[in-house]
Amino acid sequence: MYSGPPDVSPSGSADRLDLAWKEQQQKRHYFYLRELQSMARELPGKYQQRLPYDLLCSLANALLDGTVFEIVNSLKEVQQLEERNLFNQRIRLVNEGRAKKQEMLKKHKEELQKCQGRQHNLAYVNAHIKRDLLTFEKRCEDEVRRRDMKIILELDQKVMDQQVMLEKAGVPGFYVTNNPQEIRIQMYLLEYIVRLSQLDLPS
């Protein structure tokens, strides 16, 4: 992890250490820049154009002290936790709907059994059961749709929160936008930062 220039008493050796530290930072910067350029070349042309040399160079520079890696990895962990939570909420809602449907089918079966021997009631009960089932299924679909809309809104808000945090941290390429192409570029940049955080630095 970055700790800044070596803290030693002023002397000729301090100057040499300072120079060595600067050279090491320069080496890291070239390493990050080379890797970022290589990753950017994997993209379709229309996205490569949105990742010019200046942006990649600024990003490589921003990565030098390690803070950006910490921020991005922290954001990733929080996002994965929230996505799991939202997914589990949706599964719970779907499972509750299935359980209620089973109860309803059981009740319908009992109603049909009561009609045995009373054929004149059967048509009426069947029509009632069909209507009941359609109404219930429509209500379940609406509930799941509303939940999905809520999840989408929460995820959109999460994207905006991340954009604000990364922009405040001075990470190049990040600002608040809801433009799908710009968000896609930011997603690529986040992926690159995560990938770079897993690489061994040149000594």
Short mmCIF file of all heavy atoms in Angstrom, two decimals, residues 142-167:
data_model
loop_
_atom_site.label_atom_id
_atom_site.label_comp_id
_atom_site.label_asym_id
_atom_site.label_seq_id
_atom_site.Cartn_x
_atom_site.Cartn_y
_atom_site.Cartn_z
N ASP A 142 -48.96 -8.19 -10.66
CA ASP A 142 -48.83 -6.75 -10.38
C ASP A 142 -47.86 -6.49 -9.23
O ASP A 142 -47.05 -5.56 -9.28
CB ASP A 142 -50.19 -6.12 -10.06
CG ASP A 142 -51.08 -6.02 -11.30
OD1 ASP A 142 -50.55 -6.17 -12.43
OD2 ASP A 142 -52.31 -5.83 -11.16
N GLU A 143 -47.95 -7.32 -8.19
CA GLU A 143 -47.06 -7.17 -7.03
C GLU A 143 -45.60 -7.39 -7.43
O GLU A 143 -44.72 -6.63 -7.03
CB GLU A 143 -47.44 -8.17 -5.93
CG GLU A 143 -48.63 -7.71 -5.09
CD GLU A 143 -49.00 -8.73 -4.01
OE1 GLU A 143 -48.23 -9.68 -3.79
OE2 GLU A 143 -50.05 -8.54 -3.39
N VAL A 144 -45.36 -8.43 -8.25
CA VAL A 144 -43.99 -8.73 -8.69
C VAL A 144 -43.49 -7.60 -9.60
O VAL A 144 -42.34 -7.17 -9.50
CB VAL A 144 -43.91 -10.10 -9.41
CG1 VAL A 144 -42.54 -10.29 -10.07
CG2 VAL A 144 -44.16 -11.24 -8.42
N ARG A 145 -44.37 -7.10 -10.47
CA ARG A 145 -43.98 -6.00 -11.37
C ARG A 145 -43.63 -4.75 -10.57
O ARG A 145 -42.63 -4.07 -10.85
CB ARG A 145 -45.11 -5.69 -12.35
CG ARG A 145 -44.67 -4.83 -13.54
CD ARG A 145 -45.77 -4.56 -14.54
NE ARG A 145 -46.27 -5.77 -15.16
CZ ARG A 145 -47.49 -6.28 -14.97
NH1 ARG A 145 -48.35 -5.66 -14.18
NH2 ARG A 145 -47.88 -7.39 -15.57
N ARG A 146 -44.45 -4.45 -9.54
CA ARG A 146 -44.16 -3.29 -8.70
C ARG A 146 -42.83 -3.46 -7.96
O ARG A 146 -42.04 -2.53 -7.84
CB ARG A 146 -45.29 -3.06 -7.67
CG ARG A 146 -46.48 -2.29 -8.23
CD ARG A 146 -47.37 -1.73 -7.13
NE ARG A 146 -47.89 -2.77 -6.26
CZ ARG A 146 -49.01 -3.47 -6.51
NH1 ARG A 146 -49.71 -3.23 -7.62
NH2 ARG A 146 -49.43 -4.39 -5.67
N ARG A 147 -42.60 -4.69 -7.48
CA ARG A 147 -41.34 -4.98 -6.79
C ARG A 147 -40.15 -4.79 -7.74
O ARG A 147 -39.13 -4.22 -7.38
CB ARG A 147 -41.36 -6.41 -6.23
CG ARG A 147 -40.05 -6.89 -5.66
CD ARG A 147 -39.67 -6.18 -4.40
NE ARG A 147 -40.64 -6.43 -3.33
CZ ARG A 147 -40.54 -5.95 -2.11
NH1 ARG A 147 -39.52 -5.17 -1.80
NH2 ARG A 147 -41.46 -6.21 -1.20
N ASP A 148 -40.31 -5.29 -9.00
CA ASP A 148 -39.24 -5.16 -9.99
C ASP A 148 -38.94 -3.69 -10.29
O ASP A 148 -37.78 -3.30 -10.43
CB ASP A 148 -39.60 -5.91 -11.28
CG ASP A 148 -39.51 -7.42 -11.11
OD1 ASP A 148 -38.92 -7.88 -10.10
OD2 ASP A 148 -40.01 -8.16 -11.97
N MET A 149 -40.01 -2.88 -10.39
CA MET A 149 -39.82 -1.44 -10.64
C MET A 149 -39.07 -0.80 -9.48
O MET A 149 -38.18 0.04 -9.68
CB MET A 149 -41.18 -0.75 -10.84
CG MET A 149 -41.84 -1.03 -12.18
SD MET A 149 -40.79 -0.61 -13.61
CE MET A 149 -40.57 1.15 -13.37
N LYS A 150 -39.43 -1.20 -8.27
CA LYS A 150 -38.78 -0.67 -7.06
C LYS A 150 -37.29 -1.05 -7.05
O LYS A 150 -36.41 -0.24 -6.73
CB LYS A 150 -39.48 -1.22 -5.82
CG LYS A 150 -39.06 -0.57 -4.51
CD LYS A 150 -40.05 -0.92 -3.41
CE LYS A 150 -39.66 -0.26 -2.09
NZ LYS A 150 -38.76 -1.04 -1.28
N ILE A 151 -37.00 -2.30 -7.44
CA ILE A 151 -35.62 -2.78 -7.49
C ILE A 151 -34.83 -1.97 -8.52
O ILE A 151 -33.70 -1.54 -8.25
CB ILE A 151 -35.57 -4.29 -7.83
CG1 ILE A 151 -36.03 -5.12 -6.62
CG2 ILE A 151 -34.17 -4.73 -8.28
CD1 ILE A 151 -36.23 -6.60 -6.90
N ILE A 152 -35.42 -1.74 -9.70
CA ILE A 152 -34.75 -0.96 -10.75
C ILE A 152 -34.44 0.45 -10.26
O ILE A 152 -33.34 0.96 -10.46
CB ILE A 152 -35.61 -0.93 -12.04
CG1 ILE A 152 -35.60 -2.31 -12.71
CG2 ILE A 152 -35.10 0.13 -13.03
CD1 ILE A 152 -36.65 -2.51 -13.78
N LEU A 153 -35.42 1.07 -9.59
CA LEU A 153 -35.21 2.43 -9.07
C LEU A 153 -34.11 2.45 -8.01
O LEU A 153 -33.29 3.37 -7.98
CB LEU A 153 -36.52 2.98 -8.48
CG LEU A 153 -37.63 3.33 -9.49
CD1 LEU A 153 -38.92 3.69 -8.78
CD2 LEU A 153 -37.19 4.49 -10.39
N GLU A 154 -34.10 1.44 -7.15
CA GLU A 154 -33.06 1.37 -6.11
C GLU A 154 -31.68 1.17 -6.72
O GLU A 154 -30.70 1.75 -6.27
CB GLU A 154 -33.38 0.24 -5.11
CG GLU A 154 -34.53 0.59 -4.18
CD GLU A 154 -34.73 -0.42 -3.06
OE1 GLU A 154 -33.72 -0.91 -2.52
OE2 GLU A 154 -35.89 -0.71 -2.74
N LEU A 155 -31.59 0.33 -7.77
CA LEU A 155 -30.31 0.10 -8.44
C LEU A 155 -29.85 1.36 -9.18
O LEU A 155 -28.66 1.68 -9.19
CB LEU A 155 -30.41 -1.09 -9.40
CG LEU A 155 -30.56 -2.46 -8.72
CD1 LEU A 155 -30.76 -3.55 -9.77
CD2 LEU A 155 -29.37 -2.80 -7.83
N ASP A 156 -30.81 2.08 -9.80
CA ASP A 156 -30.48 3.34 -10.47
C ASP A 156 -29.93 4.35 -9.46
O ASP A 156 -28.96 5.07 -9.74
CB ASP A 156 -31.72 3.94 -11.15
CG ASP A 156 -32.07 3.23 -12.45
OD1 ASP A 156 -31.24 2.43 -12.93
OD2 ASP A 156 -33.18 3.44 -12.97
N GLN A 157 -30.55 4.39 -8.27
CA GLN A 157 -30.09 5.29 -7.21
C GLN A 157 -28.69 4.90 -6.75
O GLN A 157 -27.83 5.75 -6.49
CB GLN A 157 -31.07 5.27 -6.02
CG GLN A 157 -30.71 6.22 -4.90
CD GLN A 157 -30.66 7.68 -5.34
OE1 GLN A 157 -31.57 8.17 -6.00
NE2 GLN A 157 -29.57 8.37 -5.01
N LYS A 158 -28.45 3.59 -6.69
CA LYS A 158 -27.13 3.09 -6.27
C LYS A 158 -26.06 3.52 -7.27
O LYS A 158 -24.97 3.93 -6.89
CB LYS A 158 -27.18 1.56 -6.15
CG LYS A 158 -25.91 0.85 -5.79
CD LYS A 158 -25.22 1.37 -4.56
CE LYS A 158 -26.08 1.34 -3.32
NZ LYS A 158 -25.39 2.01 -2.18
N VAL A 159 -26.39 3.45 -8.57
CA VAL A 159 -25.45 3.89 -9.62
C VAL A 159 -25.12 5.37 -9.41
O VAL A 159 -23.95 5.78 -9.46
CB VAL A 159 -26.05 3.66 -11.04
CG1 VAL A 159 -25.23 4.39 -12.10
CG2 VAL A 159 -26.10 2.17 -11.35
N MET A 160 -26.16 6.18 -9.15
CA MET A 160 -25.95 7.62 -8.96
C MET A 160 -25.09 7.87 -7.71
O MET A 160 -24.19 8.71 -7.74
CB MET A 160 -27.30 8.33 -8.82
CG MET A 160 -27.20 9.83 -8.96
SD MET A 160 -28.80 10.65 -8.86
CE MET A 160 -29.56 10.11 -10.38
N ASP A 161 -25.35 7.15 -6.63
CA ASP A 161 -24.55 7.30 -5.40
C ASP A 161 -23.08 7.00 -5.67
O ASP A 161 -22.18 7.68 -5.19
CB ASP A 161 -25.06 6.37 -4.29
CG ASP A 161 -26.45 6.76 -3.79
OD1 ASP A 161 -26.89 7.88 -4.08
OD2 ASP A 161 -27.09 5.93 -3.12
N GLN A 162 -22.84 5.94 -6.47
CA GLN A 162 -21.47 5.56 -6.81
C GLN A 162 -20.81 6.65 -7.66
O GLN A 162 -19.64 6.98 -7.46
CB GLN A 162 -21.46 4.22 -7.55
CG GLN A 162 -21.80 3.04 -6.67
CD GLN A 162 -21.85 1.73 -7.45
OE1 GLN A 162 -21.77 1.71 -8.67
NE2 GLN A 162 -21.98 0.62 -6.74
N GLN A 163 -21.56 7.17 -8.62
CA GLN A 163 -21.02 8.24 -9.48
C GLN A 163 -20.60 9.45 -8.64
O GLN A 163 -19.53 10.01 -8.84
CB GLN A 163 -22.06 8.66 -10.52
CG GLN A 163 -22.31 7.62 -11.60
CD GLN A 163 -23.50 7.98 -12.48
OE1 GLN A 163 -24.38 8.74 -12.09
NE2 GLN A 163 -23.53 7.42 -13.68
N VAL A 164 -21.48 9.83 -7.69
CA VAL A 164 -21.18 10.98 -6.82
C VAL A 164 -19.92 10.73 -6.00
O VAL A 164 -19.03 11.58 -5.93
CB VAL A 164 -22.39 11.27 -5.88
CG1 VAL A 164 -22.01 12.25 -4.78
CG2 VAL A 164 -23.57 11.81 -6.67
N MET A 165 -19.83 9.54 -5.39
CA MET A 165 -18.68 9.22 -4.55
C MET A 165 -17.37 9.22 -5.36
O MET A 165 -16.36 9.76 -4.93
CB MET A 165 -18.88 7.87 -3.87
CG MET A 165 -17.74 7.52 -2.91
SD MET A 165 -18.04 6.02 -1.98
CE MET A 165 -19.15 6.61 -0.72
N LEU A 166 -17.41 8.58 -6.55
CA LEU A 166 -16.19 8.49 -7.37
C LEU A 166 -15.79 9.85 -7.93
O LEU A 166 -14.60 10.16 -8.03
CB LEU A 166 -16.41 7.46 -8.49
CG LEU A 166 -16.52 6.01 -7.99
CD1 LEU A 166 -17.12 5.12 -9.07
CD2 LEU A 166 -15.16 5.47 -7.56
N GLU A 167 -16.80 10.67 -8.26
CA GLU A 167 -16.49 12.02 -8.75
C GLU A 167 -15.85 12.84 -7.63
O GLU A 167 -14.86 13.54 -7.84
CB GLU A 167 -17.77 12.71 -9.25
CG GLU A 167 -17.51 14.07 -9.88
CD GLU A 167 -18.77 14.73 -10.41
OE1 GLU A 167 -19.88 14.37 -9.96
OE2 GLU A 167 -18.64 15.62 -11.27
#
